[in-house]
Amino acid sequence: MRYIRPLSIEDAVGQLAGAAGPAAILAGGSDLLVRMKGGFVEPELIIDIKAIEGLSEIRETADGFSIGAAVPCAALGENAALNKAWPGVVEAAKLIGSKQVQGRCTITGNLCNASPAADSVPALVAAGARALIAGPSGKRTVPVEAVPTGPGKTSLAKGEIIEAILLDRRAPRSGDAYLRFIPRTEMDIAVVSAGVNLTLDEHGVVKSARVALGAVAATVLLVEEAAEALIGRKLDEAALERLAKVCAGACRPIDDKRGTVEFRRKVAGVLARRAATTAYARAGGK
């Protein structure tokens, strides 16, 4: 096994593309090291990206925010501007693991681990976040929901690395929120989760919306019909009931020891309602 610590994204891409055997990216390592210790993966090459300039930084630009692939989740919670603009994304990131894990884990790693129950991914999907990908053919940007293709699988080609997660600058009267259900009070994996992102007009009517559900299908679901249930109206009881019904119907869950299909569908609707109510209030709705 080889370990390298490149100083540029180009070097990292070249090393990854040229690897003869299995290769892995190391940022926080909170998923990778557990999988290695459990014998699930045995990479021939480990590429530590933390020394690459910019990948451990949160940058605010005229267009929004760029969150480097090696930024630990704890740093998101300490960034006042990001907390103000995207509280739902930050609160989702702050639910990953324990306080100790928070100092190492990253939202990019959470995305690339491709777990259907990943906490940060539904919030990022609801936020319309994009992944900036560097590869042998240059750079490209894709919606974050296009990265996971199934449990433990991604759409990244050989040699490609996610360089940063991009979030747009917030429009006025916007708010987002993330909620999950877990059996314990903390440090557990979501049985169901929901992220909602809303923008209102000056009268409190929803102009645009994105609703995402986690842990109810093989990948996070972006439920467009749920967004349509909210757009063009205030967040009244009828809209919330429609939202809950659509979200419950959109689920494609499985029965397992953590929850039944029926239970997950019910909870998906409940969490979507609650997350929408919080997002609406954060956007200034009354």
Side-chain angles (χ1 to χ4, degrees):
M1 183 183 294
R2 293 188 299 132
Y3 165 89
I4 63 171
R5 191 177 172 91
L7 300 179
S8 70
I9 193 71
E10 292 78 14
D11 187 14
V13 167
Q15 293 282 352
L16 189 61
I25 301 298
L26 173 63
S30 57
D31 285 317
L32 175 62
L33 297 181
V34 171
R35 294 176 68 197
M36 288 173 62
K37 188 172 182 178
F40 298 105
V41 294
E42 293 184 8
E44 177 189 271
L45 173 65
I46 295 177
I47 303 173
D48 187 341
I49 62 173
K50 290 189 288 295
I52 299 175
E53 184 178 359
L55 265 62
S56 296
E57 299 177 9
I58 300 174
R59 296 175 176 173
E60 184 176 8
T61 69
D63 297 323
F65 293 89
S66 174
I67 304 170
V71 173
C73 288
L76 273 65
E78 295 170 355
N79 188 293
L82 184 63
N83 270 272
K84 182 178 180 180
W86 292 102
V89 170
V90 174
E91 64 195 2
K94 289 171 68 176
L95 289 173
I96 302 172
S98 63
K99 291 291 185 184
Q100 294 87 341
V101 171
Q102 285 283 311
R104 303 299 293 176
C105 67
T106 68
I107 57 173
T108 300
N110 198 224
L111 174 65
C112 292
N113 190 48
S115 166
D119 277 309
S120 68
V121 182
L124 289 171
V125 171
R130 290 159 289 127
L132 174 61
I133 301 171
S137 301
K139 298 186 179 183
R140 62 189 179 100
T141 303
V142 301
V144 292
E145 58 266 30
V147 175
T149 58
K153 299 179 181 180
T154 74
S155 60
L156 297 177
K158 183 175 175 59
E160 289 191 323
I161 299 173
I162 294 183
E163 185 174 340
I165 300 296
L166 308 177
L167 289 164
D168 289 337
R169 181 167 293 280
R170 296 310 306 258
R173 295 181 292 276
S174 296
D176 68 323
Y178 172 80
L179 290 172
R180 70 176 183 178
F181 174 82
I182 58 174
R184 303 188 301 178
T185 56
E186 59 182 334
M187 287 196 297
D188 210 337
I189 301 170
V191 176
V192 184
S193 61
V196 178
N197 179 33
L198 304 174
T199 298
L200 315 181
D201 67 14
E202 61 274 18
H203 304 296
V205 175
V206 178
K207 291 199 303 183
S208 64
R210 286 174 69 92
V211 179
L213 301 175
V216 293
T219 60
V220 170
L221 298 178
L222 177 63
V223 189
E224 295 182 359
E225 189 180 351
E228 294 169 1
L230 303 177
I231 295 172
R233 59 194 309 169
K234 292 187 176 182
L235 208 65
D236 55 21
E237 183 60 25
L240 289 171
E241 282 293 330
R242 175 63 180 163
L243 170 67
K245 182 178 180 180
V246 169
C247 286
C251 295
R252 301 193 297 272
I254 59 172
D255 279 315
D256 62 19
K257 63 182 180 181
R258 307 183 69 249
T260 64
V261 168
E262 182 182 8
F263 176 78
R264 283 187 161 109
R265 284 177 174 156
K266 175 67 175 179
V267 174
V270 172
L271 291 183
R273 278 183 61 114
R274 294 177 181 176
T277 301
T278 300
Y280 189 75
R282 287 173 174 172
K286 298 179 180 178

